[in-house]
Every structure is written in structure tokens, then in C-alpha cells.
Amino acid sequence: MAHDNESLASLRTPSDGGVLTKSPVARSALLVGMGPSTPEFVEGLQIEGVQTLVIHRLSECIEAARLLRPELVILLEADPALDDLSVCPDLVEALRGVEGVGHILVLIESTEPESALELLARGADDVVAPPHSVETVLLRARLVRERDSVQSVLPAPFHTIQVDRDARHVLDGDGEIVLTRRESQVLARLLEAGGEPIRRRLLLKSVWGGDQESVAVLDATIHRLRRKLELNPSNPKILTTVRGVGYRLEMARVEVV
């Protein structure tokens, strides 16, 4: 993997004599595709005491993540015309499968909710809409870290749900979960698979038919389902993602009634 002087060639460390007034957002961070805003973000992370690795091309991102195993990844949504690996949801999903990668924040250029929902469904911990100020992004990173820190010290019950075979009635410990028609259809199709993963395109076609081409509508439905079914939607245990394939239902957590 070849690099110029401003890419993977250097690890940026905090300046000598810096005083940290807060716990850092991470011990190590990977900045990917940030372009002209890179120096500003590097400086902001240095003040936080974060070792920062800068990557300018998305095609180098996975290898860099394997080397650094960063606690935080800040990824600028790619312009398909400017990079050779510009499908951001696919990249997020690939990053989520790299051992040692912590939280993933994506700075999106679009204000369309479908874009954000797809990224969240594919493994992003948070998305940040423009303008992308250093202060805002670091605050969001801190909130994600604190949220997961609180959840990690709480007891982790083996959360299960009860579902009828058509997924029209779903129960958990708090009572009945109300699903929309599409949510119910997606859940029923996953239930039919008996725990085997279903490819996203196949799941889309079997529920929406041949007229729906955008997988984003499926990812948005998965995101809403997780918010209803999971104790922690950002770390799903019932409706999980199989990297590079699609989605599956973890049948050990599902009781068919």
C-alpha cells in the first residue's frame, strides 16, 4: 500500500504540555476522506489527546483500520465521482467487520433521511449532517462513547421476543410491540428463513416486489425494527447483520408462538 506524506505515513500524537480537561473521545482515531478539513480535525483530536491516523483514499481504509484498530473512525461520505470505493454503506459494513474497530461516525453531505438510516442499519454508530464543525463531531463522538460506557456496566439480560408465525403479533417483556405492515412482512420473511441469512436484494424483492429498486427502503425498515425489538439498537442481538450478505434473525432469542 503506497502513501504520500500526508496519508498513512504518520501517526499524529498530542502536543507536549497539553492539558486534558475531559476524558478523551478515544485513544486512537482514523480520519478518512476528510479533504481540506483534515488539519482542523487533526488539531481538534490532538487537543483531546487522541492518536490520529489520516487516510485520504477510501480504498486504503480497511487496511489502515486493520493496522491501527482505531477506537474511533470519522468518515466523510464519499463523492462517487472522486473515489474508487465510494459506496459508503458498504464501506461502513466492511469496517464494522474489522476486529478492533470501535465507534464509526459518518459525516454525511445529504440531508435525506434515507441516507442516514441506511448507514445506521449497516453499522454506523452515528451520522452527522452538515455543517461538520470539529466541536459538533467531537461532541457526538463523546456522546456515543458515554452511551456505550453506561450500557457496558449495566446487566445484560438475555432479551427475547415472542412472535406468531405471520409476525403480526410480537411480544417482549413489556407487552405487545406494534409493527407496521412492512415491518411485519420483513420480520415474517426472516422468520421463515429459520435463522439463515437472507441477502438484502432478495429480502427487498420478496417483500416489496420487483418495482422497488432502492435497498435503502429495506435498510430504513430494518433500522425501525431494531428500535422496536432490541434493547440496544446500535448493538443488535435479535435482528443482526451478516457482513457482505444481508440480515438474519437470531432464533435463540425468538420464541414462535
Side-chain angles (χ1 to χ4, degrees), residues 65-254:
R66 291 193 181 111
L67 291 172
L68 182 62
R69 307 178 88 178
E71 291 186 1
L72 174 65
V73 177
I74 301 177
L75 173 68
L76 184 65
E77 189 175 34
D79 182 344
L82 300 179
D83 203 279
D84 58 355
L85 184 56
S86 57
V87 183
C88 201
D90 288 344
L91 180 62
V92 169
E93 188 173 324
L95 277 169
R96 181 51 65 211
V98 176
E99 184 178 358
V101 168
H103 297 118
I104 301 173
L105 268 64
V106 184
L107 314 188
I108 59 173
E109 298 294 352
S110 170
T111 57
E112 295 295 325
E114 291 81 4
S115 174
L117 288 170
E118 182 178 8
L119 289 163
L120 291 168
R122 301 286 286 279
D125 292 285
D126 200 1
V127 295
V128 184
H132 302 130
S133 71
V134 175
E135 293 78 9
T136 298
V137 173
L138 293 184
L139 174 61
R140 297 283 282 270
R142 192 184 305 282
L143 290 174
V144 167
R145 183 182 178 94
E146 290 176 354
R147 177 197 69 196
D148 286 0
S149 295
V150 169
Q151 290 169 342
S152 68
V153 300
L154 295 175
F158 192 80
H159 181 59
T160 62
I161 58 172
Q162 292 182 334
V163 187
D164 67 352
R165 294 194 178 278
D166 295 325
R168 293 178 180 172
H169 299 283
V170 183
L171 299 171
D172 66 4
D174 295 325
E176 184 163 5
I177 300 170
V178 179
L179 302 182
T180 66
R181 182 171 64 90
R182 289 300 192 197
E183 291 166 357
S184 181
Q185 289 173 333
V186 169
L187 187 58
R189 182 66 185 88
L190 290 165
L191 194 62
E192 287 176 12
E196 292 297 317
I198 303 180
R199 294 191 175 276
R200 294 165 68 238
R201 285 284 178 189
L202 179 58
L203 189 54
L204 180 75
K205 184 176 181 180
S206 65
V207 174
W208 278 268
D211 295 333
Q212 179 56 253
E213 294 293 332
S214 175
V215 181
V217 70
L218 168 64
D219 293 326
T221 304
I222 293 290
H223 180 70
R224 292 195 302 270
L225 265 173
R226 283 173 172 165
R227 290 180 63 86
K228 294 180 179 182
L229 302 179
E230 305 281 356
L231 290 179
N232 179 7
S234 65
N235 184 23
K237 302 296 184 183
I238 296 172
L239 205 174
T240 58
T241 299
V242 180
R243 185 165 64 93
V245 180
Y247 300 112
R248 76 174 166 205
L249 210 56
E250 301 297 335
M251 299 306 295
R253 294 178 180 267
V254 178

